[in-house]
Amino acid sequence: MKRFIPIALAALAFSALAADAGLPKLAKKATYKIGFAQTETNNPWRLALTASMQGEAKKRGWKLVYTNGNGSAAKQVSDVDSLIAQKVDAIFLSPREEKPLAPAVLKAKKAGIPVFVIDRNVDQSIAKAGRDYVTFIGSDFILEGQRAADWLIKATKGTAKIIELEGSLGSSPANDRKTGFDERIKGTPGLEIVASQTGNFTRDEGRQVMEALLQAHPDVTAVYAHNDEMALGAITALEAAGKVPGKDVIIVSIDGEKDALQAIIDGKLGATVECNPRFGPKAMTAMVDYANGKKIAIKLTNDDRFFDISNAKASLASSY
Ligand code: GZL
């Protein structure tokens, strides 16, 4: 019996290596042709991400094939198909929604093209970091929700009726920012989320949803928006309803875009948790490290700052 144990262990080790070995390799080259599949260009954060990816590729002298999902996960899936057909060396994917884009990662892997998932993530039960794609590079969205909640609890002295404006349905930032915030609020008596609805990460939809929810909850005293654009839309809705944002209603959001920093300076927005969109340098350095045979962590988390009245003015010039 003793004789069989080493063989069993070797088989176990081999199967583990085989899973890891399933990742497509990337040759060391002087220059690359890379694909970048963007979700849409419906707000400043998205535009800043695209500019960062295109700027870094240009700086390195690489060819970047850019696709825009125009807000449709189905279109983004076909965009990945097109990048595979164009035989790019690697794909940077910002998956609009966790589930529909996971099979696209598997398709690229099968075609021998390494995928780097940036910004948002895919459903790990379908496609796993380190096995099906090289790594996830992005922010910790649960922590972002927790930081927003911690600030709001202090700013409202522990008593508030909260309206939550959620990001795009099915996206990892919307799912995780809700998880992080809601669990903190549930644990704090005196705070109540009276309504929670998606504004799809856009200013206009944020305004429209806030107008409707204000009708049903005129006694709202706080707003948590999953991104600045929806917070700015909510501010417009509050002012149209004769309320004073920053006084009658305390608002907190996430991203750190220029208009949000200005709203903090103007006293209308209370605070915003940074979610840095400038992925270019970090993403492409990870790709070169991978080509050079370096071990890449399956998650590379961005360090995000926190903006409030104490630092908004100083951060304005370098924002987007
Ligand atoms: C977060 C990113 C989100 C931003 C929004 O990484 O996916 O999408 O917070 C953007 O502004 O639309």
Side-chain angles (χ1 to χ4, degrees), residues 206-221:
R207 177 185 57 75
Q208 289 170 32
V209 169
M210 189 66 201
E211 276 169 5
L213 293 178
L214 258 178
Q215 298 291 324
H217 304 280
D219 55 348
V220 64
T221 60

PDB file of all heavy atoms in Angstrom, residues 206-221:
ATOM      1  N   GLY A 206     -29.862  58.865 -12.319  1.00  0.00           N
ATOM      2  CA  GLY A 206     -29.810  59.125 -10.874  1.00  0.00           C
ATOM      3  C   GLY A 206     -30.791  60.210 -10.483  1.00  0.00           C
ATOM      4  O   GLY A 206     -31.506  60.096  -9.476  1.00  0.00           O
ATOM      5  N   ARG A 207     -30.863  61.256 -11.312  1.00  0.00           N
ATOM      6  CA  ARG A 207     -31.812  62.352 -11.036  1.00  0.00           C
ATOM      7  C   ARG A 207     -33.241  61.857 -11.118  1.00  0.00           C
ATOM      8  O   ARG A 207     -34.054  62.097 -10.209  1.00  0.00           O
ATOM      9  CB  ARG A 207     -31.602  63.485 -12.041  1.00  0.00           C
ATOM     10  CG  ARG A 207     -32.578  64.652 -11.912  1.00  0.00           C
ATOM     11  CD  ARG A 207     -32.398  65.666 -13.011  1.00  0.00           C
ATOM     12  NE  ARG A 207     -32.545  65.062 -14.344  1.00  0.00           N
ATOM     13  CZ  ARG A 207     -33.748  64.719 -14.867  1.00  0.00           C
ATOM     14  NH1 ARG A 207     -34.871  64.931 -14.162  1.00  0.00           N
ATOM     15  NH2 ARG A 207     -33.836  64.174 -16.063  1.00  0.00           N
ATOM     16  N   GLN A 208     -33.553  61.105 -12.188  1.00  0.00           N
ATOM     17  CA  GLN A 208     -34.931  60.631 -12.379  1.00  0.00           C
ATOM     18  C   GLN A 208     -35.361  59.714 -11.228  1.00  0.00           C
ATOM     19  O   GLN A 208     -36.454  59.856 -10.671  1.00  0.00           O
ATOM     20  CB  GLN A 208     -35.040  59.869 -13.706  1.00  0.00           C
ATOM     21  CG  GLN A 208     -34.942  60.762 -14.939  1.00  0.00           C
ATOM     22  CD  GLN A 208     -34.822  59.926 -16.210  1.00  0.00           C
ATOM     23  OE1 GLN A 208     -35.364  58.824 -16.275  1.00  0.00           O
ATOM     24  NE2 GLN A 208     -34.099  60.424 -17.199  1.00  0.00           N
ATOM     25  N   VAL A 209     -34.485  58.796 -10.845  1.00  0.00           N
ATOM     26  CA  VAL A 209     -34.832  57.853  -9.762  1.00  0.00           C
ATOM     27  C   VAL A 209     -35.000  58.610  -8.450  1.00  0.00           C
ATOM     28  O   VAL A 209     -35.948  58.371  -7.689  1.00  0.00           O
ATOM     29  CB  VAL A 209     -33.744  56.753  -9.637  1.00  0.00           C
ATOM     30  CG1 VAL A 209     -33.928  55.933  -8.355  1.00  0.00           C
ATOM     31  CG2 VAL A 209     -33.769  55.856 -10.861  1.00  0.00           C
ATOM     32  N   MET A 210     -34.139  59.586  -8.216  1.00  0.00           N
ATOM     33  CA  MET A 210     -34.232  60.365  -6.962  1.00  0.00           C
ATOM     34  C   MET A 210     -35.527  61.154  -6.924  1.00  0.00           C
ATOM     35  O   MET A 210     -36.197  61.228  -5.878  1.00  0.00           O
ATOM     36  CB  MET A 210     -33.025  61.304  -6.841  1.00  0.00           C
ATOM     37  CG  MET A 210     -32.915  61.981  -5.507  1.00  0.00           C
ATOM     38  SD  MET A 210     -32.569  60.789  -4.169  1.00  0.00           S
ATOM     39  CE  MET A 210     -33.131  61.741  -2.765  1.00  0.00           C
ATOM     40  N   GLU A 211     -35.917  61.746  -8.068  1.00  0.00           N
ATOM     41  CA  GLU A 211     -37.197  62.494  -8.125  1.00  0.00           C
ATOM     42  C   GLU A 211     -38.349  61.579  -7.725  1.00  0.00           C
ATOM     43  O   GLU A 211     -39.192  61.930  -6.890  1.00  0.00           O
ATOM     44  CB  GLU A 211     -37.422  63.033  -9.544  1.00  0.00           C
ATOM     45  CG  GLU A 211     -36.728  64.359  -9.813  1.00  0.00           C
ATOM     46  CD  GLU A 211     -36.743  64.748 -11.292  1.00  0.00           C
ATOM     47  OE1 GLU A 211     -37.377  64.020 -12.093  1.00  0.00           O
ATOM     48  OE2 GLU A 211     -36.083  65.750 -11.635  1.00  0.00           O
ATOM     49  N   ALA A 212     -38.367  60.371  -8.282  1.00  0.00           N
ATOM     50  CA  ALA A 212     -39.465  59.437  -8.000  1.00  0.00           C
ATOM     51  C   ALA A 212     -39.436  59.007  -6.527  1.00  0.00           C
ATOM     52  O   ALA A 212     -40.469  59.015  -5.844  1.00  0.00           O
ATOM     53  CB  ALA A 212     -39.335  58.218  -8.908  1.00  0.00           C
ATOM     54  N   LEU A 213     -38.266  58.697  -6.011  1.00  0.00           N
ATOM     55  CA  LEU A 213     -38.176  58.202  -4.627  1.00  0.00           C
ATOM     56  C   LEU A 213     -38.455  59.302  -3.612  1.00  0.00           C
ATOM     57  O   LEU A 213     -38.949  59.050  -2.513  1.00  0.00           O
ATOM     58  CB  LEU A 213     -36.793  57.574  -4.384  1.00  0.00           C
ATOM     59  CG  LEU A 213     -36.514  56.286  -5.169  1.00  0.00           C
ATOM     60  CD1 LEU A 213     -35.091  55.773  -4.879  1.00  0.00           C
ATOM     61  CD2 LEU A 213     -37.535  55.202  -4.838  1.00  0.00           C
ATOM     62  N   LEU A 214     -38.182  60.547  -4.024  1.00  0.00           N
ATOM     63  CA  LEU A 214     -38.479  61.680  -3.118  1.00  0.00           C
ATOM     64  C   LEU A 214     -39.983  61.806  -2.894  1.00  0.00           C
ATOM     65  O   LEU A 214     -40.445  62.173  -1.810  1.00  0.00           O
ATOM     66  CB  LEU A 214     -37.952  62.988  -3.723  1.00  0.00           C
ATOM     67  CG  LEU A 214     -36.663  63.543  -3.177  1.00  0.00           C
ATOM     68  CD1 LEU A 214     -36.266  64.803  -3.929  1.00  0.00           C
ATOM     69  CD2 LEU A 214     -36.761  63.810  -1.687  1.00  0.00           C
ATOM     70  N   GLN A 215     -40.767  61.485  -3.953  1.00  0.00           N
ATOM     71  CA  GLN A 215     -42.237  61.528  -3.833  1.00  0.00           C
ATOM     72  C   GLN A 215     -42.676  60.551  -2.733  1.00  0.00           C
ATOM     73  O   GLN A 215     -43.497  60.875  -1.885  1.00  0.00           O
ATOM     74  CB  GLN A 215     -42.893  61.081  -5.162  1.00  0.00           C
ATOM     75  CG  GLN A 215     -42.565  61.973  -6.353  1.00  0.00           C
ATOM     76  CD  GLN A 215     -43.214  63.357  -6.240  1.00  0.00           C
ATOM     77  OE1 GLN A 215     -44.325  63.482  -5.742  1.00  0.00           O
ATOM     78  NE2 GLN A 215     -42.470  64.371  -6.649  1.00  0.00           N
ATOM     79  N   ALA A 216     -42.056  59.370  -2.764  1.00  0.00           N
ATOM     80  CA  ALA A 216     -42.486  58.315  -1.821  1.00  0.00           C
ATOM     81  C   ALA A 216     -41.859  58.505  -0.437  1.00  0.00           C
ATOM     82  O   ALA A 216     -42.391  58.059   0.569  1.00  0.00           O
ATOM     83  CB  ALA A 216     -42.080  56.949  -2.386  1.00  0.00           C
ATOM     84  N   HIS A 217     -40.690  59.185  -0.413  1.00  0.00           N
ATOM     85  CA  HIS A 217     -39.974  59.343   0.883  1.00  0.00           C
ATOM     86  C   HIS A 217     -39.543  60.793   1.078  1.00  0.00           C
ATOM     87  O   HIS A 217     -38.352  61.104   1.083  1.00  0.00           O
ATOM     88  CB  HIS A 217     -38.758  58.407   0.912  1.00  0.00           C
ATOM     89  CG  HIS A 217     -39.095  56.973   0.689  1.00  0.00           C
ATOM     90  ND1 HIS A 217     -39.598  56.146   1.695  1.00  0.00           N
ATOM     91  CD2 HIS A 217     -39.064  56.207  -0.440  1.00  0.00           C
ATOM     92  CE1 HIS A 217     -39.830  54.945   1.198  1.00  0.00           C
ATOM     93  NE2 HIS A 217     -39.526  54.954  -0.095  1.00  0.00           N
ATOM     94  N   PRO A 218     -40.502  61.718   1.249  1.00  0.00           N
ATOM     95  CA  PRO A 218     -40.141  63.141   1.414  1.00  0.00           C
ATOM     96  C   PRO A 218     -39.346  63.402   2.695  1.00  0.00           C
ATOM     97  O   PRO A 218     -38.702  64.431   2.828  1.00  0.00           O
ATOM     98  CB  PRO A 218     -41.502  63.838   1.455  1.00  0.00           C
ATOM     99  CG  PRO A 218     -42.488  62.782   1.834  1.00  0.00           C
ATOM    100  CD  PRO A 218     -41.961  61.494   1.301  1.00  0.00           C
ATOM    101  N   ASP A 219     -39.355  62.404   3.601  1.00  0.00           N
ATOM    102  CA  ASP A 219     -38.649  62.593   4.892  1.00  0.00           C
ATOM    103  C   ASP A 219     -37.215  62.053   4.842  1.00  0.00           C
ATOM    104  O   ASP A 219     -36.570  61.885   5.865  1.00  0.00           O
ATOM    105  CB  ASP A 219     -39.418  61.891   6.016  1.00  0.00           C
ATOM    106  CG  ASP A 219     -39.653  60.408   5.693  1.00  0.00           C
ATOM    107  OD1 ASP A 219     -39.419  60.008   4.514  1.00  0.00           O
ATOM    108  OD2 ASP A 219     -40.044  59.656   6.605  1.00  0.00           O
ATOM    109  N   VAL A 220     -36.702  61.800   3.637  1.00  0.00           N
ATOM    110  CA  VAL A 220     -35.327  61.280   3.509  1.00  0.00           C
ATOM    111  C   VAL A 220     -34.339  62.293   4.105  1.00  0.00           C
ATOM    112  O   VAL A 220     -34.529  63.509   3.986  1.00  0.00           O
ATOM    113  CB  VAL A 220     -34.998  61.000   2.024  1.00  0.00           C
ATOM    114  CG1 VAL A 220     -35.019  62.282   1.193  1.00  0.00           C
ATOM    115  CG2 VAL A 220     -33.643  60.332   1.874  1.00  0.00           C
ATOM    116  N   THR A 221     -33.303  61.787   4.784  1.00  0.00           N
ATOM    117  CA  THR A 221     -32.298  62.708   5.361  1.00  0.00           C
ATOM    118  C   THR A 221     -30.882  62.394   4.892  1.00  0.00           C
ATOM    119  O   THR A 221     -29.934  63.094   5.252  1.00  0.00           O
ATOM    120  CB  THR A 221     -32.315  62.631   6.904  1.00  0.00           C
ATOM    121  OG1 THR A 221     -31.998  61.272   7.266  1.00  0.00           O
ATOM    122  CG2 THR A 221     -33.663  63.029   7.471  1.00  0.00           C
TER     123      THR A 221
END
